[in-house]
Structures are given as structure tokens and as C-alpha cells.
Amino acid sequence: MSGYILAIDQGTTSTRAIVFDASFRVVGVAQEEFGQILPQSGWVEHDPEEIWRTVLATVKRALADASLSAADIAGLGITNQRETTIIWERGTGRPIHNAIVWQDRRTAERCRQLVRDGAEATVMDKTGLVIDSYFSGTKIAWILDNVDGARARAEEGKLAFGTVDTFLLWRLTGGRTHLTDATNAARTMLFDTAANAWDEELLRLVDVPAALLPDIRDCAADFGETDPALFGGAIRICGMAGDQHAAVLGNACFRPGMMKSTYGTGCFAVLNTGTERVRSGNRLLSTLAYRLDGQSTYALEGSIFIAGAAVQWLRDGLKIVQRASDTGLMAERVDDRQDVYLVPAFTGLGAPWWDADARGAIFGLTRDTGPDDFARAALEAVCYQTADLLHAMRRDWPAASDTVLRVDGGMVASDWTMQRLADLLDAPVDRPTVLETTALGAAWLAGRHCGVWPDMDGFAERWNLDRRFEPSMRQDLRNRKLAGWEDAVRRVLSDRS
């Protein structure tokens, strides 16, 4: 059987399709951005049909780029932006509303009401999650309550819910398959991670009919095959994981204590805790890292809503940079005595703050402040937020005290940013040779399940380091910068005194 594996990496701002060969090398790739719909402050939507069009287009182009056909592909893995919520008609496959994106805050008041009603302990105990509009559950309920007739149709079994993976799987298989994997299910606020099942009490709590929900599989499993008409032949679908979980796998973080952080639209740091479900005392998430062969591996996760999106804002909103890649050179020109802080709470603050009402701010402006300072502040904001997460993880799980951080995502190509990250963390940062680790993780799931790629040990042995960034910043400078960041965050928190 061919060792070629196709991965669909459906992200928040773009869709990529990547073909890997048996040596994990990229031999074909295509990427396409799609629109962000912002109906009002704090609301973020996507057009599911536009997402679907980008998937079709990028898969076809990636196959052409690799000079391969569907018959050459041993298996397909899917990875996706998590928590983004889509509901569609079972009969037609048509979405009944735009996708509500993970960043969206429209259900923040509903979440506050759940907390006031005393539901937080139940949700945390069963799901490992805090109650927040970030997760899918309250998004599902909002669509049902705001689209005419939707709740009645859902209760009659005429509608289907899915995160993006499930929607794509439905479309790819011609409506024959309504499935998700355990990692995506774990991000809905409806899934008991200990019982490995949808939970009736949580469904009642959030007011979501069970008839909407997909069945759940391991991350490596038989998910069906693509409609032959789509790509000129059927392709077996046998891997699926949410993007951050796929990045854990792509970075070969298989051992407890290993940690990865992905820098895309947002930033997500995940620490493997093995078979132990660590209950966070610092408002981190206790989630699934992955589930293979019926065995769950758990993790602590810290979620940052805005990372690369801050650089996008500089480019598209303020128009003070022409290309995102320019920001590293701009940041390098700034004197370290200049302390400009950007707190990018454009859609609230994630872990460890979980403040849906916080909003972004810039501090430390002077007459000398210019575009270079803004660029550095945007990049440093990602590093400061990662430091917040790492410090919280170390408090929750002391075994993480000597962790080396493995990184991936678009931002890690910047040497300046990675060096500043190591400096502010006071910890080594490892950048792999293959930066497309999210897609690689999805591909590994498919390749493993198809029997054409190696198991965990074999895959981990072939993980290659591009560069290690060692901390070199003076301790007094690090302390000053971190203190300034903490002060800036306190100023934007909605519940500050």
C-alpha cells in the first residue's frame, strides 16, 4: 500500500491540505484563506459553505501539487478549529445558520447564569472545563433558540450538530457519516471525559437535545471514505483530532510531562499528564490529549484567544505592517528600555483569567512610540500569555518544572519571537524541522490506523529538531517586563476593583 497520507487542516482563518510521503515529508500543499464574519462586537462567524469550498479546492490542488491521484492516498486525516459550532439539516446537508466560531462571546451571559445557578462544579468535574462561551454547548443552544423552528426540528431528529470535523466528514462522505472523535467531543462542555460519553445531565443543563449529537470514535478509527465523485476516487478517512490535540501528536509529545504550544490565530499550550486527570487550581483546562485504542491520555491546557490574530490586526486593521513576517525585524529594532504592552483581549481573555468582558488595550505609549513598538508589543503579548500558562501549569503539576516547550504554528518561523519566548519563560524552546505539526499529527493518526506509518515509538524517534532557543535575558529585565505585563492585564480585567 502507498505510504502517502493526506491531511486536511481546517483552521480559523484558512484551510490547508497537505500530502505527506512515507518519510513524513511534505510533497504537496495548498492553502486558502476565507472570510471572517463579525456581525457585532464580540461575535465571530464563518460561512460553512465557504469552508467547504476551500476544503474541496485545497485537496484538489494539493493532490495536483504532489502529482498524485486519490488512488495513491492510503488514508486521510482531518484536524480542525475546535469548538466552532455548525448545525445543519439532515435531509439536505444545508447549515441553518453561520458557524459560530470558538472566539465568539455571544453566550457569555448564559454562561454567567450557569455559574450563578451553581453549575460550575458539575461541569468542571465531568468535563475538566470552565463554563465559558468558548465551548460549543451554549453555542448550540443559542442557534436552536434563535433560528425559527430549530429547537423543534432538533428534538424531532431532523437536524445534526457538529464541530467543523463532523461537518466536513458529513460532506466528504456524502452524508453517510455523522461522527466525531473524542478530542472534539471533549470541547463541547457536554462530554464526560472519565466516562468517555455524552452526559445526560450536562445536556439538560445546557439544554441541548441528544438527537443532534454525532457518535464518538477514537482519534484513529474508521470514519468512512470520501465520495468518489469529489476527488476522482474514494479515500479512506481514518484519523481525526482537534487542532491542538493533533499538534500534541505531531510534536510527538507522547510522554507525561511533555508540552507543546501552537501559535496560530490563537495560542494553545498543552501539557501531557498521562492517565491522570489533573484538576487545575489555576483555571486551566483538564482535557483529553488524545484517545487511542480505547485508552484516554489527558492533558492540562491553557487557551489564549489572540496570538497571530494580533499581528493580523496590525496588518489588516491598523495597516501599519505590510506583511506579518515583517514584525520580527521591526521588533528587533526596538530598544529594550521601551516598554509598550498590548493586551490583546479583543474577544475577552482566556486562561488563566477567563474574563469574557475584558477588552484590549495598549499601555506605555509615548511620543516616540511607532509601528516598530506596536509590532514588538504584539509579539511579546504572545510570549507573556504563554508565560502565564506555563507558570499556572507548574503550580498545578510540579512535574512540569523542567519542561522543554515544543512549538509549532506560523509564528514560530520568527527567530526573534522564539528567542523572546525562551527569554520570558526562562525555559528552552524547541522548534521542529516540520512546522506543519498539526497537519502532521492528523496524518500520523491516519497513517498509523492504515498500517503504513509507524507506531508512537517509531514516530517519536523520527521527530527532528530544527533549533533550540535557550534563555539569555537578564533576570532583572525579565522580572521588570513580566511585572509590567501583570499590571497591564490587571487594568483590563472587567472585575478589577
Side-chain angles (χ1 to χ4, degrees):
M1 183 183 295
S2 163
Y4 291 109
I5 299 292
L6 171 66
I8 295 171
D9 182 358
Q10 203 299 298
T12 306
T13 58
S14 70
T15 299
R16 284 175 294 182
I18 300 177
V19 181
F20 295 90
D21 67 13
S23 299
F24 319 141
R25 293 175 304 198
V26 174
V27 295
V29 63
Q31 180 170 351
E32 188 171 328
E33 292 189 0
F34 56 88
Q36 306 295 301
I37 302 168
L38 309 170
Q40 56 182 278
S41 177
W43 291 28
V44 188
E45 298 178 357
H46 292 156
D47 178 354
E49 298 294 352
E50 187 178 12
I51 289 175
W52 173 239
R53 287 193 295 272
T54 63
V55 168
L56 289 179
T58 54
V59 168
K60 291 174 181 177
R61 282 166 35 211
L63 289 172
D65 187 43
S67 299
L68 299 172
S69 69
D72 298 311
I73 304 300
L76 165 62
I78 299 172
T79 186
N80 57 287
Q81 51 168 314
R82 302 173 303 171
E83 297 95 19
T84 295
T85 298
I86 307 173
I87 297 178
W88 62 92
E89 297 172 340
R90 290 185 183 271
T92 67
R94 288 196 300 263
I96 66 170
H97 191 275
N98 277 339
I100 301 181
V101 179
W102 57 273
Q103 298 164 313
D104 190 280
R105 311 307 292 172
R106 75 186 66 188
T107 64
E109 179 52 38
R110 171 63 178 143
C111 291
R112 283 191 287 268
Q113 185 60 52
L114 287 170
V115 173
R116 289 194 292 268
D117 291 344
E120 192 164 38
T122 297
V123 170
M124 176 66 78
D125 182 60
K126 292 190 174 189
T127 70
L129 309 177
V130 299
I131 294 177
D132 193 84
S133 55
Y134 172 31
F135 305 108
S136 309
T138 55
K139 293 177 169 64
I140 300 170
W142 188 95
I143 294 175
L144 296 182
D145 292 334
N146 286 273
V147 175
D148 287 344
R151 184 166 288 281
R153 285 192 289 163
E155 290 170 350
E156 293 167 1
K158 294 179 179 179
L159 302 179
F161 152 74
T163 41
V164 173
D165 60 305
T166 300
F167 175 69
L168 294 182
L169 188 62
W170 179 282
R171 287 288 180 91
L172 288 165
T173 61
R176 293 187 296 274
T177 305
H178 188 212
L179 297 171
T180 190
D181 81 286
T183 65
N184 277 294
R187 310 298 295 192
T188 60
M189 220 166 72
L190 306 172
F191 178 80
D192 186 326
T193 58
N196 270 299
W198 301 119
D199 186 84
E200 291 184 5
E201 182 180 9
L202 295 173
L203 290 172
R204 288 194 301 270
L205 192 67
V206 185
D207 202 12
V208 171
L212 276 174
L213 302 176
D215 290 335
I216 302 165
R217 297 283 185 272
D218 285 353
C219 299
D222 289 317
F223 290 98
E225 60 181 29
T226 64
D227 187 328
L230 294 176
F231 309 119
I235 301 174
R236 186 181 174 194
I237 306 168
C238 38
M240 187 180 291
D243 51 9
Q244 304 314 316
H245 314 269
V248 169
L249 299 168
N251 272 306
C253 291
F254 298 130
R255 297 193 312 275
M258 298 186 74
M259 179 179 176
K260 75 88 198 175
S261 191
T262 298
Y263 297 93
T265 301
C267 167
F268 303 87
V270 181
L271 174 70
N272 186 328
T273 61
T275 57
E276 183 180 359
R277 293 172 77 224
V278 177
R279 179 71 177 267
S280 175
N282 294 279
R283 296 183 65 77
L284 299 174
L285 307 179
S286 178
T287 191
L288 283 179
Y290 47 84
R291 194 175 84 187
L292 295 171
D293 303 322
Q295 174 64 56
S296 293
T297 296
Y298 296 97
L300 281 173
E301 178 179 326
S303 307
I304 297 168
F305 298 151
I306 300 294
V311 176
Q312 233 178 5
W313 172 68
L314 296 183
R315 184 192 67 189
D316 301 336
L318 298 187
K319 302 186 186 304
I320 61 175
V321 302
Q322 290 186 328
R323 295 176 300 274
S325 57
D326 294 340
T327 52
L329 292 174
M330 295 169 70
E332 197 169 356
R333 294 196 292 257
V334 178
D335 191 321
D336 259 333
R337 290 172 293 184
Q338 295 284 340
D339 287 327
V340 176
Y341 293 95
L342 166 64
V343 184
F346 301 152
T347 55
L349 285 173
W353 311 103
W354 293 109
D355 187 341
D357 295 320
R359 286 297 176 263
I362 300 174
F363 299 97
L365 301 182
T366 69
R367 285 286 299 273
D368 294 332
T369 302
D372 290 352
D373 299 276
F374 275 71
R376 175 178 280 203
L379 298 180
E380 284 190 325
V382 176
C383 304
Y384 290 129
Q385 291 177 101
T386 307
D388 288 342
L389 299 181
L390 181 58
H391 296 157
M393 286 177 174
R394 287 172 171 169
R395 290 193 296 272
D396 279 335
W397 207 59
S401 59
D402 295 322
T403 292
V404 174
L405 181 64
R406 289 185 172 181
V407 295
D408 62 276
M411 296 187 76
V412 308
S414 166
D415 287 354
W416 187 91
T417 307
M418 292 301 98
Q419 184 58 54
R420 184 51 52 109
L421 179 62
D423 286 340
L424 291 174
L425 295 181
D426 194 19
V429 171
D430 282 357
R431 181 172 66 193
T433 55
V434 177
L435 297 183
E436 302 293 352
T437 50
T438 301
L440 180 60
W444 177 73
L445 288 169
R448 174 187 184 272
H449 192 71
C450 293
V452 298
W453 278 21
D455 61 8
M456 280 186 179
D457 291 340
F459 184 70
E461 287 174 3
R462 295 167 73 175
W463 184 91
N464 289 316
L465 176 69
D466 168 56
R467 179 175 171 185
R468 170 168 287 189
F469 296 85
E470 296 279 3
S472 60
M473 181 179 283
R474 299 190 323 271
Q475 187 64 44
D476 62 325
L477 178 58
R478 179 184 302 113
N479 291 343
R480 192 192 83 212
K481 286 188 165 293
L482 290 172
W485 166 254
E486 291 169 8
D487 179 65
V489 170
R490 282 195 296 270
R491 292 169 182 264
V492 304
L493 294 176
S494 62
D495 59 352
R496 65 186 187 278
S497 58

